Amino acid sequence: MSAQARKSPLRSASRTTARPALRAIPTEPDQSEVRAAFLSDYATHLRASNNKHGRPYQEKTVTAYTKAVRALDSWMTEQGMDEDFLSVGTATLNLFFRAYHQEHEQGGTNTVQRNLRTFFTWLEDEYDTANPYRDKKLQRYAAPTGVKPKTLSAEFVVDLLKVTGNGHPRVREFEKVRDHAIIRVLTEGVRAEELLSLRLDSLDLEQGLAQVVPLKDARASGEGRVIPLQPKTVIALTRYIRARESHKLSGSEWLWLGTRNRSKLTYSGLYRMLNRRAKDAGYDAASPHQFRHTWTDDMLSAGVAGEDVMTLAGWKDSTMLRRYAADMATSRAVKAAKKMGDRY
């Protein structure tokens, strides 16, 4: 099916990153090698440090932060700039952000500007150099306003489940059975990191429950969240665990095993799987996090109290509930009003 003919998945309308080896300092480096050395040291610093909440940086955060530095490095190379990162000042950053904005618009520029802040703070601490982020002349790119989360359509979720075997007992291909179970668990509102962190002992299928690894603020206190599973999710997990026994690395503690005898499914692997299955079903790509938005709408549409939704989702601030619920708020309000029928 061509890209133009694919349907929208929205309701409204790999490998683990390898740790770098110790770098060899070139005897006569050019500036590109010098900037690459800065980036290597910075990545090592992130992996050995804690964030402002006192927790280790997740690998996807390290990837995002270093990707922003690589974008700046690439732009400097295109502009023929020979200086290293220590020479980058406010004027240079302003030119970079303006050029980046032309290709990536407001949201992308806000993200790369935010992700570069930590890099220049590190340079300031390590090399006692001026931090352009402290300069009032640095042009700020605010996050785009009015952007609402996108909720997946019921048709998209159903079609995704169909192309992964629809839970039929005669479908026994490991990858299909695994992908079907993953999609089922995503419909339970878990974060992508929580799903990937599940172990075999995280499940209590007799009770229809799963306990996710603590994330965010709960990590420090050692708390976890108990997730109630739909009956079909329990069945899908039971069949996956049975298929998992034939995997070469079935002795691994991790629930989700990779293909080609990889011991654990990675974040990038999860994205690739979803994109591939969406394409198989005739849709554009969707992200794992959109299932969490969809779950929120499902809960609220079913009449589940906001406080209960917050508890199940692991939110301590109602701001998150409002943000995740915003996408379909009008639709839910109209349906609720129509259920009242004639009021007079």
Side-chain angles (χ1 to χ4, degrees), residues 153-170:
S153 69
E155 292 77 10
F156 170 74
V157 178
V158 169
D159 288 345
L160 214 58
L161 292 170
K162 285 181 180 178
V163 298
T164 53
N166 213 24
H168 197 285
R170 293 184 181 178

Side-chain angles (χ1 to χ4, degrees), residues 289-332:
H289 206 66
Q290 286 178 285
F291 283 86
R292 190 160 162 85
H293 294 304
T294 307
W295 172 86
T296 304
D297 179 58
D298 289 343
M299 293 297 102
L300 294 174
S301 296
V304 179
E307 290 184 358
D308 292 335
V309 174
M310 288 175 58
T311 298
L312 294 173
W315 296 323
K316 296 182 179 180
D317 187 347
S318 59
T319 301
M320 293 301 295
L321 177 63
R322 291 193 297 271
R323 176 173 176 265
Y324 277 68
D327 192 24
M328 300 297 294
T330 300
S331 175
R332 287 193 303 273

Side-chain angles (χ1 to χ4, degrees), residues 29-332:
D30 58 28
Q31 290 305 318
S32 63
E33 290 176 314
V34 172
R35 292 201 293 260
F38 273 108
L39 179 57
S40 177
D41 285 350
Y42 175 55
T44 300
H45 161 76
L46 290 173
R47 293 188 175 103
S49 305
N50 290 342
N51 60 22
K52 64 182 180 180
H53 301 294
R55 299 188 296 271
Y57 285 104
Q58 294 185 30
E59 189 58 34
K60 72 167 189 174
T61 303
V62 176
T63 300
Y65 283 4
T66 54
K67 182 179 179 181
V69 180
R70 288 193 183 92
L72 174 60
D73 179 34
S74 297
W75 177 81
M76 292 175 68
T77 301
E78 292 171 1
Q79 301 301 311
M81 296 182 178
D82 293 331
E83 60 263 32
D84 59 32
F85 290 124
L86 296 177
S87 303
V88 174
T90 306
T92 300
L93 273 187
N94 283 340
L95 289 173
F96 166 65
F97 290 137
R98 184 53 55 91
Y100 198 88
H101 185 272
Q102 291 177 356
E103 293 187 17
H104 302 274
E105 300 183 347
Q106 188 75 13
T109 310
N110 168 261
T111 298
V112 79
Q113 187 172 71
R114 191 173 64 247
N115 289 346
L116 274 176
R117 178 190 294 275
T118 305
F119 177 63
F120 283 96
T121 300
W122 173 73
L123 289 178
E124 179 184 26
D125 294 339
E126 289 290 320
Y127 297 95
D128 195 26
T129 186
N131 186 344
Y133 276 78
R134 301 188 188 281
D135 190 346
K136 294 182 179 179
K137 293 182 180 179
L138 182 69
Q139 296 173 0
R140 311 286 175 170
Y141 289 80
T145 57
V147 177
K148 295 179 180 180
K150 299 300 181 181
T151 305
L152 300 171
S153 69
E155 292 77 10
F156 170 74
V157 178
V158 169
D159 288 345
L160 214 58
L161 292 170
K162 285 181 180 178
V163 298
T164 53
N166 213 24
H168 197 285
R170 293 184 181 178
V171 176
R172 297 174 184 175
E173 178 190 342
F174 172 80
E175 194 169 1
K176 265 193 174 181
V177 174
R178 182 203 64 178
D179 294 354
H180 183 80
I182 288 174
I183 294 166
R184 283 282 181 193
V185 174
L186 283 174
T187 67
E188 307 293 359
V190 299
R191 300 178 177 94
E193 298 94 333
E194 293 172 339
L195 178 139
L196 294 171
S197 298
L198 286 173
R199 293 174 168 82
L200 285 171
D201 60 7
S202 302
L203 304 177
D204 183 352
L205 297 183
E206 290 187 4
Q207 298 295 321
L209 302 173
Q211 185 170 31
V212 298
V213 175
L215 294 172
K216 309 273 183 195
D217 294 335
R219 188 191 299 276
S221 61
E223 298 174 357
R225 286 203 335 280
V226 174
I227 306 296
L229 303 174
Q230 301 166 82
K232 287 186 178 181
T233 303
V234 173
I235 295 173
L237 283 168
T238 301
R239 288 174 178 158
Y240 164 67
I241 291 173
R242 190 161 56 239
R244 184 184 181 279
E245 293 175 356
S246 63
H247 195 284
K248 184 177 180 180
L249 300 173
S250 59
S252 170
E253 64 178 332
W254 301 107
L255 176 61
W256 308 113
L257 301 180
T259 55
R260 300 177 184 176
N261 291 322
R262 294 188 179 94
S263 61
K264 182 185 178 185
L265 183 67
T266 64
Y267 197 80
S268 59
L270 175 62
Y271 266 88
R272 288 196 300 270
M273 181 278 285
L274 278 179
N275 290 341
R276 184 175 69 255
R277 295 305 185 184
K279 183 178 179 180
D280 291 344
Y283 291 88
D284 293 328
S287 72
H289 206 66
Q290 286 178 285
F291 283 86
R292 190 160 162 85
H293 294 304
T294 307
W295 172 86
T296 304
D297 179 58
D298 289 343
M299 293 297 102
L300 294 174
S301 296
V304 179
E307 290 184 358
D308 292 335
V309 174
M310 288 175 58
T311 298
L312 294 173
W315 296 323
K316 296 182 179 180
D317 187 347
S318 59
T319 301
M320 293 301 295
L321 177 63
R322 291 193 297 271
R323 176 173 176 265
Y324 277 68
D327 192 24
M328 300 297 294
T330 300
S331 175
R332 287 193 303 273

